[in-house]
Amino acid sequence: MKDLISNCFLCEEKALHIAGTEEAQVMQCINCGYVTSTKYTGTKETNEEFKKLGKDMKNWAIEENGKIWIPSVIALPVGMLYPIDVKGEMKWSFAPMVEIPEEKRKDFPNPQGGFYDKKVDTDNGKLYDKFIQGMSEVNELLKQAQSE
Ligand SMILES: [Zn+2]
């Protein structure tokens, strides 16, 4: 089934992807990066899922259209795009997936057995003011990864 694309309730761009039906619906804006789903229905005061969020996420969350919207965390084989606090301001960071050197893998045990050979390098993330900027870089990397 194809996603429906609508105008975003937050940034008003026609970039809001709506997937699923009423019981399990996800709305993700690829312009401003905010996302919401059925489980985030309600307000910050009444919603149980909201209470489980970390401090930064709680700060960044926005109530709109009867839902709580939070900034997306996009995990991909090439890395992770996620919101980050820079001196009290929300920015976006893209942290690349890097190979863990053989001798250091013992420090990265995989709960499912063995050790990880790759990790998201959050110390060397690249910062963006806008989600869409980070997303276009991610798309470039995905294209490169496919052609390799
Ligand atoms: Zn938006």
Side-chain angles (χ1 to χ4, degrees):
M1 208 177 79
K2 261 196 88 185
D3 286 8
L4 223 79
I5 300 176
S6 180
N7 286 68
C8 178
F9 294 98
L10 302 177
C11 70
E12 293 172 3
E13 284 292 318
K14 197 174 170 72
L16 185 70
H17 290 241
I18 305 173
T21 52
E22 207 63 46
E23 306 88 67
Q25 194 170 55
V26 177
M27 293 196 262
Q28 156 88 58
C29 179
I30 57 157
N31 182 61
C32 67
Y34 271 80
V35 65
T36 190
S37 65
T38 305
K39 63 180 185 178
Y40 286 108
T41 303
T43 65
K44 293 178 185 178
E45 255 109 70
T46 61
N47 187 281
E48 289 301 318
E49 292 296 323
F50 175 77
K51 289 173 188 157
K52 296 180 200 164
L53 295 173
K55 184 176 143 273
D56 282 340
M57 278 294 190
K58 279 184 175 150
N59 275 337
W60 297 327
I62 298 169
E63 288 176 7
E64 186 65 63
N65 192 43
K67 295 191 181 291
I68 300 161
W69 298 73
I70 56 170
S72 323
V73 175
I74 312 265
L76 293 159
V78 291
M80 190 166 79
L81 182 64
Y82 61 102
I84 187 169
D85 178 278
V86 179
K87 296 180 186 130
E89 235 187 293
M90 190 182 90
K91 303 271 182 194
W92 295 89
S93 175
F94 177 73
M97 188 72 82
V98 294
E99 192 116 346
I100 303 169
E102 208 118 5
E103 69 275 13
K104 284 193 175 154
R105 287 180 194 171
K106 61 175 169 25
D107 301 331
F108 298 92
N110 184 337
Q112 269 140 48
F115 296 90
Y116 289 109
D117 58 357
K118 286 190 178 125
K119 66 164 184 165
V120 175
D121 189 4
T122 47
D123 296 333
N124 292 298
K126 217 168 143 182
L127 286 180
Y128 302 94
D129 287 334
K130 290 188 185 322
F131 176 82
I132 187 86
Q133 296 166 335
M135 207 55 215
S136 38
E137 174 126 350
V138 167
N139 283 330
E140 274 308 306
L141 285 169
L142 284 173
K143 263 189 230 158
Q144 283 171 20
Q146 269 164 12
S147 62
E148 264 166 24

